[in-house]
Amino acid sequence: MAGTRLLGPFTRLLLQARARRGKEERTRVGERRGEPSLARPRGRVAWLHGASVGETLSLLPVVERLTQRGLAVLVTSGTVTSARLLERRLPAGAFHQFAPLDVPAYVRRFLDHWQPDLVLIAESEIWPNMLVDVDRRGIPLVLVNARMSERSFRRWQRMGGMIEAVLGRFDLCLAQSPGDADRLARLGAPRVGVVGNLKFDVPPPPADPLRVSALSGLIAGRPCWIAASTHPGEDEIVAAVHRAIAPHFPGLLTIIAPRHPQRGDEIAAVAGDFELRAAQRSRGLEPDTSVDLYIADTMGELGLFYRIAPVVFVGKSLVGDGGQNPIEPAKLGAAILHGPHVQNFADVYAALDRDGGALAVPDAQQLANTLMRLLGDGMRMRKMARAAAATVDSFGGGVDRTMAAVEPYLMQMHLEER
């Protein structure tokens, strides 16, 4: 923690450099130094924090419940992408700020202004200065949707008593799974419960019905699949798979939605290397019959593409580390394909594979072979899609269990207000 104090003078330069690379919102850089851009609302305020898109999305059902209880809800995150998504999806009574960097002066400034009455931190966001200051002020602090991977557990174990001192600041840790709970308890978390994964209760991403209808009509009759949330190195695999199976499926349309939309131009260049005709949605182009590879390099439109593609390959699983969340496409009626590297969502993929809603493909050749079988067998695709939807539905209920666990803190806030 002393080290972060020393970093304070250099953070202005760091934030300026990040803003030049598009990693910070230029007009809101002050928020990262704890300088608010909004006034604190009157009454009780709950502060919920998630690192990026996945974590903040998982918090949305909890945000909704808290606003229904009459609380103002401050949601913080650390990425531009998550901020833009929350602008569209936060309910009335909730608002977004960028989280301050974990520098004591910034954290102190942030807390002095917002004075939250309850703090909920998502997953594994453990920032020592922030946790210490929240605890010092006597604000109830809960780790929700908590996860602790085996790899993170081993890394924290090597740091001696530091993690125990940090986790000891939490009043309560609500874990996604028994394994996560066990690892948190072994690292020193004083009170741990298992409530399930909040991501199963998040509504699927929205889409304008008119846009869904228009796009469905545009590609009607064409075999179609989507490679979603892809990472560098997977673009070449997707292009090669398209080349391999296109002769068997006239008019084949491959949609690729990169995890980071700013890579659209890079993916278009890859398509050119494979002699594929590409079109970028960010440039206002549509997937007409001349297009082989349609690059969905826009923000907030995965819900649209999941609704029109019967098969979804979920990226960061063939090349990358840990996989991406398969819950959204499963909820929207897609058969799921994934590579072997899915440890970030191991329980979800294991259940989907077991129940027949997903198939693991170890390499590009198997991805091509599996797509050949599925695109040629509509009945099997629909059966997989139904199984995937049923599996993710069976994991629901985490929000109800989370709200029940934090109810004592909400009741205490209510009593203090009276």
Side-chain angles (χ1 to χ4, degrees):
M1 290 185 282
T4 55
R5 269 191 205 93
L6 298 175
L7 287 175
F10 301 100
T11 56
R12 190 175 297 274
L13 293 175
L14 170 67
L15 290 169
Q16 288 173 350
R18 284 176 55 83
R20 285 194 296 272
R21 298 197 303 273
K23 292 182 177 295
E24 298 287 347
E25 201 68 74
R26 286 181 180 273
T27 59
R28 297 176 61 183
V29 166
E31 293 174 28
R32 301 291 263 156
R33 298 190 294 269
E35 300 164 4
S37 59
L38 297 172
R40 184 195 189 278
R42 295 188 177 191
R44 298 295 185 180
V45 172
W47 170 26
L48 279 66
H49 172 71
S52 188
V53 172
E55 295 87 352
T56 50
L57 277 179
S58 73
L59 290 171
L60 284 177
V62 178
V63 173
E64 184 80 39
R65 298 283 187 94
L66 292 173
T67 57
Q68 290 170 357
R69 296 286 293 268
L71 276 70
V73 180
L74 163 65
V75 182
T76 61
S77 64
T79 66
V80 172
T81 304
S82 61
R84 292 174 182 171
L85 182 145
L86 289 169
E87 285 175 6
R88 296 191 295 271
R89 297 187 65 173
L90 282 177
F95 49 96
H96 175 267
Q97 294 276 276
F98 284 103
L101 299 180
D102 198 47
V103 174
Y106 299 170
V107 171
R108 195 161 50 245
R109 185 182 297 142
F110 176 89
L111 291 172
D112 286 346
H113 177 79
W114 293 110
Q115 299 178 37
D117 300 282
L118 173 66
V119 180
L120 306 182
I121 306 295
E123 299 205 11
S124 54
E125 280 289 276
I126 299 174
W127 294 103
N129 291 306
M130 183 264 284
L131 298 181
V132 167
D133 208 340
V134 168
D135 181 49
R136 185 182 294 135
R137 294 169 189 242
I139 306 168
L141 179 62
V142 182
L143 187 64
V144 299
N145 215 35
R147 63 186 177 95
M148 177 63 64
S149 69
E150 188 64 41
R151 185 172 65 177
S152 295
F153 173 73
R154 291 194 299 269
R155 186 173 68 245
W156 280 115
Q157 271 190 319
R158 292 194 293 269
M159 301 186 72
M162 176 184 171
I163 185 61
E164 184 174 357
V166 171
L167 287 175
R169 306 283 178 171
F170 285 100
D171 294 272
L172 180 63
C173 294
L174 301 175
Q176 295 183 16
S177 72
D180 293 309
D182 176 67
R183 288 185 285 272
L184 285 164
R186 288 161 63 191
L187 287 173
R191 291 180 59 211
V192 182
V194 180
V195 297
N197 192 334
L198 294 177
K199 290 186 170 89
F200 289 105
D201 290 333
V202 177
D208 182 340
L210 292 178
R211 289 188 177 183
V212 174
S213 178
L215 192 56
S216 297
L218 189 62
I219 66 172
R222 298 181 68 181
C224 174
W225 69 290
I226 178 171
S229 299
T230 57
H231 283 245
E234 290 177 322
D235 314 317
E236 291 83 358
I237 292 173
V238 171
V241 167
H242 179 100
R243 282 286 302 269
I245 68 175
H248 305 276
F249 298 97
L252 176 68
L253 175 65
T254 294
I255 301 170
I256 183 166
R259 181 69 178 82
H260 300 105
Q262 63 267 30
R263 294 201 305 109
D265 291 347
E266 173 187 327
I267 296 169
V270 169
D273 292 340
F274 282 81
E275 299 181 348
L276 299 177
R277 295 162 296 183
Q280 293 174 243
R281 189 166 180 82
S282 64
R283 298 181 182 275
L285 301 175
E286 298 286 0
D288 59 35
T289 54
S290 69
V291 173
D292 301 312
L293 187 68
Y294 190 53
I295 304 168
D297 54 348
T298 52
M299 283 293 302
E301 288 199 301
L302 266 180
L304 167 63
F305 294 106
Y306 284 155
R307 283 172 169 85
I308 65 166
V311 183
V312 175
F313 165 75
V314 184
K316 201 182 178 182
S317 60
L318 277 175
V319 174
D321 184 17
Q324 297 283 176
N325 186 355
I327 297 171
E328 291 181 347
K331 283 191 171 188
L332 288 172
I336 310 295
L337 304 178
H338 63 89
H341 308 296
V342 293
Q343 55 269 34
N344 288 348
F345 303 92
D347 292 343
V348 185
Y349 279 106
L352 286 167
D353 291 350
R354 180 196 65 223
D355 296 343
L359 290 170
V361 289
D363 52 36
Q365 183 61 58
Q366 283 301 309
L367 175 58
N369 292 344
T370 304
L371 279 169
M372 288 269 291
R373 291 197 301 271
L374 291 178
L375 292 174
D377 189 346
M379 185 176 295
R380 186 177 183 191
M381 276 196 297
R382 290 188 290 273
K383 184 178 179 180
M384 282 186 66
R386 287 194 297 269
T391 298
V392 296
D393 285 347
S394 73
F395 278 90
V399 172
D400 288 338
R401 291 186 286 271
T402 297
M403 294 305 297
V406 301
E407 181 62 26
Y409 303 106
L410 300 177
M411 290 296 296
Q412 184 62 35
M413 290 164 60
H414 178 66
L415 290 172
E416 290 173 356
E417 197 168 31
R418 294 174 64 186

